[in-house]
Amino acid sequence: MTASPLQAIRLPLLEEKGVSFYIKRDDLLHPDISGNKWRKLKYNLEEAKERGFKRLLTFGGAYSNHLAATAAAGIKYGFDTLAIIRGEKRLPLNPTLSYLKLCGTEMKFVSRSAYRNKYEPQFLETLDIDQEEYYIIPEGGSNTLAIKGVAAVVEEIEEDLGSPPDYISIACGTGATMSGVISGLNGRSQALGVVVLKGSFMSDEIKKFLSLIQKDHLDNWSLSEDFHFGGYAKFKPPLIDFINEFKTTTGVQLDPIYTGKLAYALFELIKQDYFPKGSSLVMVHTGGLQGIAGFTQRYGPIIAQ
Ligand SMILES: *Cc1c(COP(=O)(O)O)cnc(C)c1O
């Protein structure tokens, strides 16, 4: 897959604050294997093929970008796919799950309480799944091979700019993508993560991922935990207004779960002079646009498209 474009954004606020702002358009990598989920799957798919697996098994919520990406990757790379989905089955299927169905992904729905034990050794057996047959990918695709896949984004950015930017910023869900960026930077510049869930566990999660790849000595990263808008997949009107305005002024579509919160946070931080004059800042657009259809189904067409 070829590198995604790096797009320079010009807006009056950026001029005024002297910040060079770029968007790494990983949303354009593939319409369904979106953004970071493609990078996270890449080496997992290679590993699965090498080890002779024909089937992928993974986990996620009913609107998961990762499940959509895995379903699409299964078709493209010739794997059968099985998704373990959190929560009871509801009909009609939401747009994400309809897409899984279209891709031929087998779906097993489990209660939220059972889902919590999904990594227990007996869990798959209780669902009558022969786990020997499957290459198993954790929720969100987040494992060490995912981190390795994401690290390449840093190289691509550097190649386009001629040098690393002062900051690379990313939305954090499980923290694996952020860990990949930190690993790719390998001590240079600053990685800034914007956490899209409520709570203060992300820093530990990232440290765990970094220690798995022997990179826990790296400390050129920080997190912003003030822009979750109430929690994962929660929102408030100012976030929606921002996403719509951003689309109008830049032409770039953001999603309300991840990249909308990320861009909102960055523009708030720019307003607050968080980034010194003359800084260069790359926001990674990790995709997730497939989620807008499900969001619209729940809340109405509040996101302009
Ligand atoms: C999954 C996802 C993220 C978060 O990635 P993690 O590795 O789980 O932190 C960010 N942006 C989008 C669009 C995603 O789908």
Side-chain angles (χ1 to χ4, degrees):
M1 204 162 285
T2 50
S4 66
L6 186 70
Q7 179 179 356
I9 300 295
R10 294 202 172 75
L11 290 170
L13 176 73
L14 300 170
E15 291 280 320
E16 179 197 323
K17 299 292 189 180
V19 173
S20 306
F21 189 93
Y22 302 87
I23 302 182
K24 176 64 171 165
R25 296 293 307 273
D26 270 9
D27 56 313
L28 300 176
L29 279 175
H30 186 282
D32 298 306
I33 316 180
S34 95
N36 63 331
K37 298 307 187 288
W38 157 246
R39 294 189 188 273
K40 292 170 90 172
L41 281 171
K42 183 180 172 202
Y43 291 112
N44 279 295
L45 298 173
E46 283 180 12
E47 173 86 1
K49 196 145 266 180
E50 240 162 61
R51 286 169 49 192
F53 285 99
K54 304 222 160 13
R55 298 171 168 182
L56 310 175
L57 183 158
T58 193
F59 309 85
Y63 296 91
S64 163
N65 293 330
H66 166 64
L67 290 186
T70 305
I75 290 194
K76 193 166 154 89
Y77 297 95
F79 293 98
D80 288 337
T81 45
L82 169 56
I84 311 291
I85 299 162
R86 182 184 63 232
E88 309 302 334
K89 182 173 183 175
R90 289 211 205 144
L91 293 173
L93 294 176
N94 74 38
T96 301
L97 298 182
S98 300
Y99 179 74
L100 261 61
K101 190 172 175 200
L102 193 72
C103 291
T105 297
E106 190 188 341
M107 294 180 251
K108 286 203 189 265
F109 293 83
V110 301
S111 70
R112 282 166 187 272
S113 59
Y115 187 85
R116 260 179 239 125
N117 302 320
K118 60 188 171 300
Y119 299 138
E120 303 269 312
Q122 322 83 340
F123 176 82
L124 292 174
E125 213 174 298
T126 64
L127 296 178
D128 276 331
I129 294 168
D130 180 3
Q131 55 191 77
E132 305 283 300
E133 286 189 27
Y134 293 91
Y135 181 82
I136 297 174
I137 303 172
E139 186 175 51
S142 299
N143 58 15
T144 51
L145 289 175
I147 297 173
K148 180 178 167 195
V150 169
V153 77
V154 175
E155 240 170 85
E156 291 178 20
I157 291 169
E158 271 196 68
E159 211 154 282
D160 275 348
L161 287 177
S163 60
D166 297 311
Y167 299 88
I168 295 182
S169 193
I170 196 99
C172 300
T174 63
T177 303
M178 173 74 173
S179 303
V181 169
I182 296 167
S183 153
L185 282 171
N186 203 21
R188 294 160 303 163
S189 308
Q190 280 290 322
L192 172 61
V194 171
V195 184
V196 304
L197 310 84
K198 196 150 80 177
S200 50
F201 52 86
M202 189 58 64
S203 173
D204 286 339
E205 292 298 310
I206 290 167
K207 283 177 195 158
K208 259 188 251 165
F209 282 125
L210 290 176
S211 73
L212 287 176
I213 55 164
Q214 283 87 44
K215 297 260 187 185
D216 43 339
H217 57 282
L218 296 174
D219 61 358
N220 56 319
W221 58 278
S222 58
L223 295 176
S224 173
E225 297 180 321
D226 302 331
F227 298 97
H228 55 70
F229 288 91
Y232 184 71
K234 301 252 166 45
F235 68 94
K236 295 191 168 68
L239 175 67
I240 305 302
D241 293 344
F242 175 86
I243 289 170
N244 290 335
E245 195 191 321
F246 199 76
K247 175 83 187 282
T248 307
T249 54
T250 68
V252 178
Q253 178 76 63
L254 302 169
D255 83 290
I257 318 291
Y258 294 100
T259 56
K261 291 181 182 181
L262 169 63
Y264 185 101
L266 294 179
F267 277 81
E268 278 306 307
L269 292 172
I270 290 167
K271 279 183 211 156
Q272 296 164 18
D273 297 315
Y274 175 92
F275 304 102
K277 237 184 178 50
S279 306
S280 53
L281 164 61
V282 174
M283 161 185 153
V284 183
H285 192 320
T286 41
L289 302 179
Q290 71 85 28
I292 295 177
F295 189 87
T296 297
Q297 200 180 57
R298 278 171 291 169
Y299 304 111
I302 53 178
I303 295 182
Q305 290 223 69

